[in-house]
Amino acid sequence: MQSIEGHLPSQSPLHAILAPSGIAVVGASSDPTKRGYKAMVGLIKGGYGGAIYPVNPKATSILGVNTFASISDVPGTPALALICTPAATVPDLIAECGRLGIKGAVVLASGFGETGEAGAALEARMMANARAHGVRIIGPNTSGLFNLHHRVNLLALDNLKTGDIGIVSQSGNMLLSLALEAQHNGQVGFSTYIGPGNQADIGFNDYLRYLGEDEHTRVATLYVEGFRDGRKFLEVAREVAAMKPVVVYKSGATEQGQKAASSHTGALAGSYQMTVDLLRQVGVSVVQYSDEILPVAEGLSRLQKAAGKRVAVIADGGGQATIAADRLAEAGLSLATLSGHTQARLEALLLPQASSVNPVDVAGSSDAQPSLLAQCMAVVAEDDNVDSIFLVGMFGGYSLRFDESLLEDEMRGADAMLALAHATSKPLVIYSLYAPVKPPPLRCLHEAGLPVYASIEHAVRVLVALGERGDYLARHASQQSAAPTPPSASGSALLANARAEGRDLLEFEAKALLAEHAIRVPDERLVTHLQALSEVAADFADRPLAMKVVSRDILHKSDAGGVKLNLVGDAALRDAYLTIVANAREYAPNAMIDGVLVTPMADKGVEVIVGMLRDPVFGPVLMFGLGGVFVEVLDDVAFRALPISRADAESMVNQIKAQKMLEGVRGAQAVSKPALVELLMQVSQLVDAYPSIRELDLNPVIAYPDHHPSGYAIVDARIIVERDQ
Amino acid sequence: MQSIEGHLPSQSPLHAILAPSGIAVVGASSDPTKRGYKAMVGLIKGGYGGAIYPVNPKATSILGVNTFASISDVPGTPALALICTPAATVPDLIAECGRLGIKGAVVLASGFGETGEAGAALEARMMANARAHGVRIIGPNTSGLFNLHHRVNLLALDNLKTGDIGIVSQSGNMLLSLALEAQHNGQVGFSTYIGPGNQADIGFNDYLRYLGEDEHTRVATLYVEGFRDGRKFLEVAREVAAMKPVVVYKSGATEQGQKAASSHTGALAGSYQMTVDLLRQVGVSVVQYSDEILPVAEGLSRLQKAAGKRVAVIADGGGQATIAADRLAEAGLSLATLSGHTQARLEALLLPQASSVNPVDVAGSSDAQPSLLAQCMAVVAEDDNVDSIFLVGMFGGYSLRFDESLLEDEMRGADAMLALAHATSKPLVIYSLYAPVKPPPLRCLHEAGLPVYASIEHAVRVLVALGERGDYLARHASQQSAAPTPPSASGSALLANARAEGRDLLEFEAKALLAEHAIRVPDERLVTHLQALSEVAADFADRPLAMKVVSRDILHKSDAGGVKLNLVGDAALRDAYLTIVANAREYAPNAMIDGVLVTPMADKGVEVIVGMLRDPVFGPVLMFGLGGVFVEVLDDVAFRALPISRADAESMVNQIKAQKMLEGVRGAQAVSKPALVELLMQVSQLVDAYPSIRELDLNPVIAYPDHHPSGYAIVDARIIVERDQ
């Protein structure tokens, strides 16, 4: 089983607010439909140990607690004010809190920034008072919070189990859904929940940092509709993920979903695919379906991470073994190839009709002795070819299905599995079709910390997350980003010049800048008059040439008739030159034509794209993808926030779904991945060195096999320059 | 809500076996670990109304029922013998049953064909006796069966609810898993279950037909590891699916899973993707994940089918609304565009902060009046732009979350939803985060026949299945397959000739055969000597030409250097001709060279593939896909069993995932889908007319836009001819 990985040293102001010595409930109420009543119930029923000060000028006592007419009447200084009164009252109340020395306030009311201009003004007024008086604010428009380890429960949710899953959710209903699911399965417990609301003061990133610092939280679980400062989020998530798992469900996975999301939050939402890539880059476990959030969070909180993707399946029925094999393969995991020794050991345990080949099917061997399954798990756990162990079938239900007398042996089996979980560094993931029934052996397992899943599909998601976590910690967490390189004088001059002229780099300038930073660019010459052509052609000997117009005013060279390919011989070159210039003049009569670029045709290979953009949410982002129809039809691209590490670059190249294209299709040789990785690293450094590069687009880059002299050819390069405001 | 669609007229011999007037339990036992005990318990506890005759020479009474020493001692003639004794005893027992006039036997024992040669011999002996004496057999090696409407329960599963979902499962554990899931959610009831076991006599297709005939079964649900006679299965499934929904989970979705499956069953497994396509073609609802089987079956048994893909979402929280929108989009469903009238009606019902744009978010409007949600559902149900209604959120839990006093209004809301379900022809799919808790309003809904789902993901799978069912019944069920065309004399002669020579059709012969059946083939000439070349070239005027070697001995023309493209001018043609012939002679010195095919270069367009193969399981199957890298890297292809209907052909073309390629990418025009549909229909007819065509491969076919004179160009055609044994 998992040892606690760690948490960050405490810095967040939230500790004082979330574990307050006393709470003033402003707007406490005896009306059961009011949140000021719910909060009182939650605190009292939850067993909050500090002092509760209900503030209500019209009552003398609420739920048996004496009230105070105003917050100023509260004796001493509670650490936290829970404000349940309407929006209009809030700014003055915050000022009053501040004057009384109350350092934190939770503001439930809606009617602030989310409703329009008047609300935004109110929110600004509230914040001015908060800053003036040093009050930190959760909300407004928050669904509330709880901190079960300190028995603070402002939501009055019943039946919450205290545990180690911390949650920040931009949807109150989502928290409710997770709480009901946890209540129903009876296994999962929570540490802290916070609804960030409008994030007028304390923001999403602060909450994540708090969960990273909180010693009671093993897994930080986030439901996100949109990021505001995505760059900062990545930074905090990277820091937290190095210490403990961070699980994120990002809604708005599709355009349709994004539209739905943006009508409900004001936050900007980047493309889903980019967001997922960037989150994974910093070690976040991204969950794709909402019903997988809790199983994955639970698995990460309880189970060992996996060192690799090789899963050993132990099953007591062929049907489920096959389903497990299907789901594992779909998820990119593999069935471990068991060693001969392991197979022999299994065969010694099992009946002749059993299969000792993974997925291992005990085929009736365990019918009279269910604990045999634990023995099989122990055997495969010792196999070096196995990274994780997946028990699939009816364990826990033998005594129900066959005979009550089997219960004793089944309990022994559960004990053996627990012992194995403590002894091995490999995760044991258990699916049982009896999980919903919770028979004693399964209760025993999960009470001792081994989750039992009721769905093969969910169990496989957990295996994936454990593998990704293992991979992240082993390969990525400690990796350094590409070392910064200084800008060159001539590169800076190129960019400054273009910027001064309010234009982007010309193609040959872009390539010159790449070359300054040791990125290989094709040999090419700018020809500005017909006479120079034959000399240039002679330089390139007999190779077929390509010619392209160079003009700051022509963005789409092909559309302008400004590109000619496969040119051989002086006559063809002259013709092409004249045609290109004429076409360009016709296409854009006022265009300034800087010349024609002449270069040998690139060898054939696989078209890829390398690009950089500055995302409004996440900052500079590098893109790598297959070119041609693949990028246009299939969006087969990978994103990483810049700067990248070498492991990032490698994972970008390996993330391409149509890997066959890179590995060689139709008899083609595999392209050199190291060359592409090097190029990505160099582009990362380049972009880092010149903040005035707004966008970069190397498209296409032709990738070549290992033995090719140049590794790749950058056929076209565009660099968009930041404009002065 | 759904009306019962219908069932087939009774023919299956299973009715007598599954609703027997009396049952002899051979090998009945008092030992609780024996299946002969379980079966007795199941029958007695299940309340079986007919006579039970335990047969056991060593006991006098089992569970209070008097035993008989042998089956011959049983008075009268029970309709069914349940045989619980070991394999070796079975053949003689079957003969004895036959002599006594017992018409059906369920054989539980394993140790038959599945174990090897000796077992197969035993199985053959059993079957010989069964045929000789007219006994029909379920099994052997069956996990058992139940027929809850007749209180026959040989599995002794507790807590099974009698209902209308019929199951055939090749995995006993899968049945157990579904039964436990149903028990846990408390909603779903079953009619009949049968474990087909080795299918020595009655086979999978018979069981499916029985479920089609069974008046108590609304949905036939099948767990399949492998099909034996897939062609027959498709036929029966088509017949049943026209009457009632058929749900199939096919295991072995991946290569890894298929390997796992084939180690457990002897049945052949075709490619998963092909299997899914063929099942959908005949109206089967294919379920991809095992945990979706029951939700989808339940939805199809209870809810209206949907007339289209436009879903109206009514939500009481932004978070879940966004998740729903994401999942709908991923599943290929769309958010209905609500009419202005509908939006105005919603706005009249809702608070100002609500969103009347789909997904409709009531944003607190229902907090004090949950029945408002039912009103919103009724409003959108009347919108012609809406095909199905999806309620998302916390309905059913308002009284728990907010205040008990809301229960009354919530029950009113549930009643209103039920009334709406009866009044509208559109399905109401309900997700509630309170589903696991089963509060009274939700209990009321599902007791009255409206399922409530606990997972947005599962609810969306149900919406998909309802839409597919509606589409199938509206577009496919009544469609005729392409009318058979007679073979032509010359076509038959071509094939007979090739067959006699033990070879496949030459390319020009294949194209001639296509042309016989009015399939457009490019203008082309077979040139057999250099002298003929200039005349042929003159016929094609100035168009650039392609030349290809024609040889019965050269399969891969390009590999042999036997293809030259873009030839212009007499000199180039002569060079190419000589080079091709020389290359071919070098590549295959003994090859018989029939000449060189000369044809104008095809215009550029989108490469597609049309193919036909005879699958060992499913018979003749047509394939359509994108050509080039798409088929090799992405397997972007569609399959249909032959012959196809026009709707089949249309759905094949529309199934291609990279639709953008067909619809025009990078400024290209869309290709003519009608031309491709016509080609697919013609190929279906052609293949049907000539059973000696074993495989056909039109690859590539270049597809053109609507206005293009020829619609498409079949650049290469291969027809593989059936060999004589």
Side-chain angles (χ1 to χ4, degrees):
Chain A
M1 248 163 289
Q2 200 200 25
S3 56
I4 289 199
E5 296 184 29
H7 50 85
L8 303 170
S10 291
Q11 294 175 357
S12 167
L14 279 158
H15 295 283
I17 300 180
L18 286 168
S21 52
I23 303 179
V25 182
V26 184
S29 169
S30 315
D31 177 349
T33 66
K34 299 277 166 120
R35 290 176 86 175
Y37 172 84
K38 290 275 171 204
M40 289 294 294
V41 171
L43 288 172
I44 294 168
K45 271 177 65 176
Y48 174 61
I52 305 173
Y53 308 102
V55 176
N56 184 331
K58 294 180 194 154
T60 52
S61 139
I62 290 172
L63 288 163
V65 185
N66 289 336
T67 61
F68 301 86
S70 87
I71 194 162
S72 314
D73 299 329
V74 168
T77 305
L80 177 66
L82 171 64
I83 300 180
C84 311
T85 53
T89 67
V90 172
D92 290 350
L93 280 168
I94 293 297
E96 203 175 347
C97 286
R99 281 192 293 272
L100 296 168
I102 298 175
K103 294 290 177 209
V106 176
V107 181
L108 298 180
S110 57
F112 287 91
E114 80 283 5
T115 57
E117 230 169 274
L122 195 65
E123 191 166 311
R125 210 141 62 73
M126 174 192 78
M127 277 312 300
N129 289 349
R131 293 214 178 87
H133 295 92
V135 183
R136 299 306 304 262
I137 290 180
I138 295 178
N141 189 26
T142 167
S143 54
L145 57 83
F146 60 65
N147 178 356
L148 300 183
H149 290 271
H150 287 87
R151 299 174 174 275
V152 175
N153 180 353
L154 305 185
L155 280 85
L157 282 173
D158 294 334
N159 303 314
L160 287 177
K161 217 163 127 172
T162 302
D164 47 26
I165 293 179
I167 300 180
V168 183
S169 171
Q170 290 186 339
S171 156
N173 268 9
M174 181 46 65
L175 181 270
L176 195 54
S177 168
L178 296 175
L180 286 163
E181 195 185 326
Q183 177 185 336
H184 188 60
N185 85 14
Q187 290 186 211
V188 182
F190 301 104
S191 52
T192 296
Y193 161 71
I194 307 152
N198 289 7
Q199 307 178 50
D201 176 17
I202 306 177
F204 209 83
N205 302 334
D206 303 304
Y207 297 120
L208 172 55
R209 165 166 283 283
Y210 165 79
L211 293 180
E213 291 171 6
D214 179 32
E215 59 175 339
H216 297 295
T217 296
R218 268 172 188 257
V219 174
T221 305
L222 317 177
Y223 172 87
V224 183
E225 296 193 337
F227 296 99
R228 288 195 187 160
D229 185 349
R231 190 85 189 162
K232 179 76 185 169
F233 179 85
L234 294 178
E235 196 183 291
V236 178
R238 189 194 293 269
E239 219 173 306
V240 175
M243 305 298 288
K244 58 179 80 167
V246 178
V247 174
V248 170
Y249 177 92
K250 168 74 178 67
S251 75
T254 62
E255 218 179 306
Q256 190 162 295
Q258 269 179 44
K259 272 188 207 150
S262 61
S263 69
H264 298 110
T265 79
L268 266 161
S271 105
Y272 179 73
Q273 200 205 327
M274 179 201 286
T275 306
V276 169
D277 279 357
L278 304 192
L279 293 176
R280 293 207 167 119
Q281 183 187 3
V282 297
V284 167
S285 303
V286 180
V287 169
Q288 205 187 343
Y289 297 121
S290 60
D291 58 5
E292 294 168 354
I293 298 173
L294 216 51
V296 167
E298 185 192 10
L300 286 168
S301 80
R302 291 277 164 262
L303 300 169
Q304 300 281 3
K305 51 196 175 290
K309 300 186 167 195
R310 303 165 305 171
V311 182
V313 175
I314 307 289
D316 54 11
Q320 261 99 359
T322 307
I323 296 175
D326 279 340
R327 292 299 95 77
L328 290 171
E330 285 166 3
L333 299 176
S334 65
L335 287 174
T337 305
L338 302 179
S339 73
H341 178 60
T342 300
Q343 288 195 40
R345 288 180 67 194
L346 289 170
E347 281 156 19
L349 288 172
L350 302 174
L351 295 174
Q353 68 263 35
S355 160
S356 67
V357 176
N358 194 11
V360 175
D361 179 3
V362 303
S365 307
S366 57
D367 282 6
Q369 190 197 348
S371 65
L372 193 72
L373 295 167
Q375 292 180 51
C376 294
M377 291 167 81
V379 168
V380 297
E382 285 175 17
D383 190 324
D384 287 342
N385 299 325
V386 171
D387 298 314
S388 48
I389 297 105
F390 188 12
L391 179 67
V392 167
M394 47 182 286
F395 182 77
Y398 279 73
S399 65
L400 296 172
R401 183 73 196 110
F402 296 124
D403 190 66
E404 280 171 30
S405 66
L406 292 170
L407 183 58
E408 204 180 316
D409 184 69
E410 220 169 358
M411 293 301 287
R412 259 197 303 277
D415 285 340
M417 288 176 198
L418 288 169
L420 177 61
H422 283 287
T424 177
S425 62
K426 301 173 183 180
L428 312 184
V429 176
I430 299 174
Y431 156 78
S432 170
L433 47 100
Y434 280 88
V437 183
K438 299 191 191 71
L442 301 187
R443 268 210 305 279
C444 156
L445 286 177
H446 59 66
E447 271 160 23
L450 262 190
V452 177
Y453 295 98
S455 146
I456 293 180
E457 280 77 8
H458 290 176
V460 169
R461 296 326 301 172
V462 172
L463 282 159
V464 169
L466 295 169
E468 286 178 350
R469 178 113 189 108
D471 179 58
Y472 179 76
L473 291 178
R475 291 205 338 115
H476 291 262
S478 58
Q479 281 238 352
Q480 294 299 311
S481 299
T485 44
S488 76
S490 64
S492 301
L494 271 175
L495 285 161
N497 187 33
R499 190 167 185 171
E501 295 181 17
R503 63 169 174 90
D504 302 320
L505 291 195
L506 298 169
E507 181 178 344
F508 71 91
E509 293 175 326
K511 287 181 176 162
L513 182 56
L514 295 173
E516 282 280 331
H517 288 266
I519 297 173
R520 272 188 303 277
V521 292
D523 199 2
E524 63 185 18
R525 307 291 154 78
L526 182 67
V527 175
T528 53
H529 52 280
L530 197 55
Q531 290 70 17
L533 204 52
S534 57
E535 192 185 331
V536 165
D539 281 0
F540 292 131
D542 289 341
R543 297 163 69 188
L545 300 178
M547 291 173 76
K548 296 187 270 187
V549 69
V550 178
S551 166
R552 60 199 64 193
D553 301 313
I554 296 178
L555 204 63
H556 299 290
K557 296 184 280 272
S558 294
D559 294 355
V563 180
K564 298 280 164 195
L565 304 177
N566 267 315
L567 307 167
V568 179
D570 275 355
L573 283 171
R574 287 177 59 95
D575 273 5
Y577 183 93
L578 294 170
T579 310
I580 283 174
V581 172
N583 285 349
R585 291 233 163 90
E586 194 185 319
Y587 178 80
N590 300 317
M592 176 160 173
I593 294 172
D594 300 87
V596 173
L597 213 52
V598 181
T599 184
M601 291 294 294
D603 294 344
K604 290 203 169 163
V606 177
E607 277 190 31
V608 301
I609 297 183
V610 175
M612 188 281 294
L613 57 96
R614 295 193 189 265
D615 184 77
V617 175
F618 291 109
V621 170
L622 190 67
M623 187 193 88
F624 172 77
L626 286 175
V629 291
F630 282 93
V631 64
E632 295 195 37
V633 178
L634 301 168
D635 290 332
D636 196 359
V637 294
F639 298 94
R640 295 294 181 276
L642 286 171
I644 57 168
S645 69
R646 191 162 292 274
D648 287 334
E650 287 164 356
S651 68
M652 286 182 94
V653 176
N654 289 324
Q655 183 181 323
I656 296 304
K657 291 188 280 286
Q659 275 295 310
K660 280 191 203 168
M661 288 297 294
L662 299 176
E663 287 161 0
V665 73
R666 294 189 151 184
Q669 285 183 288
V671 306
S672 167
K673 288 186 176 180
L676 294 175
V677 166
E678 189 56 35
L679 174 61
L680 292 171
M681 294 295 284
Q682 287 174 315
V683 169
S684 173
Q685 288 175 310
L686 173 85
V687 169
D688 213 33
Y690 302 97
S692 62
I693 298 180
R694 199 176 69 202
E695 272 176 49
L696 171 147
D697 194 27
L698 313 184
N699 177 19
V701 176
I702 315 283
Y704 298 125
D706 276 323
H707 63 78
H708 191 279
S710 60
Y712 54 81
I714 298 172
V715 171
D716 201 354
R718 284 183 61 198
I719 288 179
I720 309 292
V721 178
E722 204 64 68
R723 295 290 191 272
D724 290 317
Q725 293 308 319
Chain B
M1 248 162 287
Q2 201 200 23
S3 56
I4 288 199
E5 296 183 30
H7 49 86
L8 302 171
S10 291
Q11 295 175 357
S12 167
L14 280 158
H15 295 283
I17 301 180
L18 286 168
S21 52
I23 302 178
V25 181
V26 184
S29 169
S30 315
D31 177 348
T33 66
K34 299 277 166 128
R35 288 175 86 176
Y37 173 85
K38 289 276 171 204
M40 289 295 294
V41 172
L43 288 171
I44 293 167
K45 273 178 63 176
Y48 175 60
I52 305 173
Y53 307 102
V55 177
N56 184 332
K58 294 181 194 153
T60 53
S61 138
I62 291 171
L63 289 162
V65 185
N66 289 337
T67 60
F68 301 87
S70 87
I71 194 163
S72 314
D73 299 328
V74 169
T77 306
L80 177 66
L82 170 64
I83 300 180
C84 310
T85 52
T89 67
V90 173
D92 290 349
L93 281 168
I94 293 297
E96 202 174 346
C97 286
R99 280 192 296 272
L100 296 168
I102 298 175
K103 294 290 178 209
V106 175
V107 181
L108 298 181
S110 57
F112 288 91
E114 80 283 2
T115 56
E117 231 169 272
L122 195 64
E123 191 166 310
R125 209 142 62 74
M126 174 192 78
M127 278 311 301
N129 289 350
R131 292 215 177 86
H133 295 91
V135 183
R136 300 305 304 263
I137 289 180
I138 295 178
N141 190 25
T142 167
S143 54
L145 57 83
F146 60 65
N147 178 357
L148 300 183
H149 290 272
H150 288 88
R151 298 172 176 277
V152 175
N153 181 352
L154 304 185
L155 281 85
L157 283 172
D158 293 335
N159 304 313
L160 286 177
K161 218 164 126 172
T162 302
D164 48 25
I165 292 179
I167 300 180
V168 183
S169 171
Q170 290 186 338
S171 155
N173 267 10
M174 181 47 65
L175 180 269
L176 195 55
S177 169
L178 295 175
L180 286 164
E181 195 185 326
Q183 176 186 335
H184 189 58
N185 85 14
Q187 292 186 209
V188 182
F190 300 104
S191 52
T192 297
Y193 161 71
I194 308 152
N198 289 7
Q199 307 177 50
D201 176 17
I202 306 177
F204 209 82
N205 302 333
D206 303 304
Y207 296 121
L208 173 55
R209 166 165 282 281
Y210 166 80
L211 292 180
E213 291 170 6
D214 179 31
E215 60 175 340
H216 298 296
T217 296
R218 269 172 186 258
V219 174
T221 305
L222 316 177
Y223 172 86
V224 183
E225 295 193 338
F227 295 100
R228 288 197 187 158
D229 185 349
R231 189 84 188 162
K232 179 78 184 167
F233 179 85
L234 294 178
E235 197 183 290
V236 178
R238 190 194 292 272
E239 219 174 306
V240 175
M243 307 297 288
K244 59 179 77 167
V246 177
V247 174
V248 170
Y249 177 92
K250 169 73 177 70
S251 75
T254 61
E255 217 179 306
Q256 191 161 295
Q258 271 179 45
K259 272 188 207 151
S262 61
S263 69
H264 297 110
T265 78
L268 266 161
S271 107
Y272 179 73
Q273 201 206 327
M274 178 199 287
T275 306
V276 168
D277 279 357
L278 304 191
L279 293 175
R280 292 208 167 118
Q281 183 186 3
V282 298
V284 167
S285 303
V286 180
V287 169
Q288 205 188 342
Y289 297 121
S290 60
D291 58 4
E292 294 168 354
I293 297 173
L294 217 52
V296 167
E298 185 192 12
L300 285 169
S301 80
R302 292 277 164 263
L303 299 169
Q304 300 281 3
K305 51 198 175 287
K309 300 185 168 195
R310 302 165 306 171
V311 181
V313 175
I314 307 289
D316 54 11
Q320 261 98 1
T322 307
I323 296 175
D326 279 339
R327 292 297 97 75
L328 290 171
E330 286 166 2
L333 300 176
S334 64
L335 287 174
T337 305
L338 302 179
S339 74
H341 178 61
T342 300
Q343 288 195 39
R345 290 179 67 193
L346 288 171
E347 281 157 18
L349 288 172
L350 301 174
L351 295 174
Q353 67 264 33
S355 160
S356 66
V357 176
N358 194 12
V360 175
D361 179 2
V362 303
S365 307
S366 57
D367 282 7
Q369 189 197 348
S371 64
L372 193 72
L373 295 167
Q375 292 180 50
C376 294
M377 291 167 82
V379 168
V380 297
E382 285 175 19
D383 191 323
D384 288 342
N385 300 326
V386 171
D387 298 314
S388 49
I389 297 103
F390 187 15
L391 179 67
V392 167
M394 48 181 285
F395 182 76
Y398 279 73
S399 66
L400 296 173
R401 182 73 195 110
F402 295 125
D403 191 65
E404 280 171 31
S405 66
L406 291 171
L407 183 58
E408 204 180 317
D409 185 69
E410 221 170 356
M411 293 301 286
R412 261 198 302 278
D415 286 339
M417 289 176 199
L418 288 170
L420 176 62
H422 284 288
T424 178
S425 63
K426 300 172 183 180
L428 312 184
V429 176
I430 300 173
Y431 156 77
S432 170
L433 48 99
Y434 280 88
V437 183
K438 300 193 190 70
L442 300 186
R443 268 209 305 277
C444 157
L445 286 178
H446 59 65
E447 271 159 24
L450 262 190
V452 177
Y453 295 98
S455 146
I456 293 181
E457 280 77 8
H458 289 176
V460 168
R461 296 327 300 172
V462 172
L463 282 158
V464 169
L466 295 170
E468 286 177 350
R469 178 111 188 110
D471 179 59
Y472 179 76
L473 292 178
R475 295 206 332 117
H476 291 263
S478 59
Q479 280 237 353
Q480 295 299 311
S481 297
T485 44
S488 76
S490 63
S492 300
L494 271 174
L495 286 161
N497 187 33
R499 191 167 185 169
E501 295 181 15
R503 64 170 174 88
D504 301 320
L505 292 194
L506 297 170
E507 181 178 345
F508 71 91
E509 293 174 326
K511 286 181 177 162
L513 181 57
L514 296 173
E516 281 280 331
H517 289 266
I519 296 173
R520 272 188 302 278
V521 292
D523 201 3
E524 62 184 20
R525 307 293 153 77
L526 182 68
V527 175
T528 52
H529 52 281
L530 194 57
Q531 291 72 16
L533 202 54
S534 57
E535 192 186 330
V536 165
D539 283 359
F540 291 131
D542 289 342
R543 299 162 68 188
L545 300 178
M547 291 174 74
K548 295 186 271 188
V549 69
V550 178
S551 166
R552 60 200 62 195
D553 301 313
I554 296 177
L555 203 64
H556 299 290
K557 296 185 280 273
S558 294
D559 293 357
V563 180
K564 297 280 165 195
L565 303 176
N566 269 315
L567 306 166
V568 179
D570 275 354
L573 284 172
R574 288 174 60 93
D575 273 6
Y577 183 93
L578 295 170
T579 310
I580 283 176
V581 171
N583 284 350
R585 292 231 163 91
E586 193 184 320
Y587 179 79
N590 300 318
M592 176 162 172
I593 294 172
D594 300 86
V596 173
L597 213 52
V598 181
T599 183
M601 291 294 293
D603 294 344
K604 290 204 168 162
V606 178
E607 277 191 30
V608 301
I609 297 183
V610 175
M612 188 282 295
L613 58 95
R614 297 193 188 265
D615 184 77
V617 174
F618 291 110
V621 170
L622 189 68
M623 185 194 91
F624 172 76
L626 286 174
V629 290
F630 282 92
V631 63
E632 295 193 39
V633 178
L634 301 167
D635 289 332
D636 196 359
V637 293
F639 297 95
R640 296 294 181 276
L642 287 173
I644 57 168
S645 70
R646 191 161 293 274
D648 287 334
E650 287 163 357
S651 67
M652 285 182 95
V653 176
N654 290 324
Q655 183 181 323
I656 295 305
K657 290 187 281 285
Q659 275 294 311
K660 279 191 202 169
M661 286 299 294
L662 299 176
E663 287 161 2
V665 73
R666 294 190 152 184
Q669 285 183 286
V671 306
S672 168
K673 288 187 177 180
L676 294 175
V677 166
E678 190 55 35
L679 174 60
L680 292 171
M681 294 296 283
Q682 289 174 314
V683 169
S684 173
Q685 289 176 311
L686 174 85
V687 169
D688 213 32
Y690 302 97
S692 62
I693 297 179
R694 199 176 70 201
E695 272 177 48
L696 172 148
D697 195 26
L698 312 184
N699 177 20
V701 176
I702 315 284
Y704 298 126
D706 277 322
H707 63 78
H708 192 278
S710 58
Y712 54 80
I714 297 172
V715 171
D716 200 354
R718 284 183 60 199
I719 288 181
I720 309 292
V721 179
E722 203 65 67
R723 294 290 191 272
D724 291 316
Q725 294 309 320

